[in-house]
Each structure stands twice: as C-alpha cells, then as structure tokens.
Amino acid sequence: MTPNLLRHKKWFMIDNILFLNRIYTPAIPKEPEKWFNYLKNEEIDFIIRIKKNAKTTNSQGQEVPVQNLFLHLKLAEQLTLEDSRLITGVKVYLTALRLKTVNC
C-alpha cells in the first residue's frame, strides 16, 4: 500500500502524520503553543524535530534542556520517554536518537 504523501518546502505529511524539520521554522507561528494545541485539538498526529537546547520538563516537573533527558544514550541508541513532557506549555511525547557528533 502506498502511503498518502503530501509535500511542502518546510513540511510533509504521510498518512495524516505531519512532519516538520524544526520547531522554529517559518511554517510555525511565533507562538508555537498555539500551533501544538491546534494540531492536538484537530487530532493531527505530528513529529517535529526540536533543538537540543529547547526547554522541557523532567520527571519532577523542573524546566531543563531536552538534551539533559537523553545524555546517557550511547551512539545509535534511541529512547522514547514513557510520560509526556511540556514543550512550550503543551504536553508532547519525546523520542531521541544519539547521533555521532561532528565538529566543524
């Protein structure tokens, strides 16, 4: 079965799942919490790549950079957190993959 694919310069959709490259792209309004809430209210599943220094909450509810939750991962290891976390005031689920660091 061929997936239903819709493309745009800044995003694409496959089978009603929206994929965006970064949270801070021109495709997202200046108030990303409104964008996240809209997607959730419309029941649109989404996957958005976020910067490692984006603020989220840890398991105690304290604000931390996203990277702090995944520092223990080994190269090529992936982890999806069981509980949702706040990003721009909206609860989302986070997954990370440790990639090789390239120094430029």
Side-chain angles (χ1 to χ4, degrees):
M1 179 180 192
T2 304
N4 180 11
L5 176 64
L6 179 62
R7 289 185 183 270
H8 184 272
K9 290 180 182 178
K10 302 291 183 186
W11 55 267
F12 63 95
M13 285 188 87
I14 299 176
D15 290 334
N16 296 325
I17 299 175
L18 176 65
F19 293 81
L20 285 159
N21 185 31
R22 290 275 170 128
I23 189 172
Y24 303 108
T25 67
I28 297 179
K30 294 190 188 300
E31 300 174 34
E33 65 276 2
K34 288 184 179 179
W35 177 241
F36 285 152
N37 280 320
Y38 171 80
L39 293 173
K40 290 180 84 169
N41 290 338
E42 295 298 318
E43 298 181 3
I44 299 171
D45 293 327
F46 58 94
I47 297 174
I48 300 176
R49 191 173 138 220
I50 58 173
K51 294 183 178 186
K52 64 183 179 183
N53 63 350
K55 299 295 184 195
T56 189
T57 50
N58 63 18
S59 58
Q60 289 80 42
Q62 300 164 324
E63 189 173 273
V64 296
V66 169
Q67 67 182 353
N68 289 14
L69 304 178
F70 302 100
L71 289 173
H72 64 282
L73 293 180
K74 296 179 175 90
L75 186 62
E77 188 176 8
Q78 176 181 324
L79 174 67
T80 299
L81 300 179
E82 289 184 24
D83 299 320
S84 60
R85 304 300 167 99
L86 289 174
I87 297 269
T88 68
V90 179
K91 285 189 172 190
V92 296
Y93 287 91
L94 298 175
T95 298
L97 169 66
R98 171 74 63 185
L99 300 174
K100 181 178 178 182
T101 303
V102 178
N103 294 325
C104 297

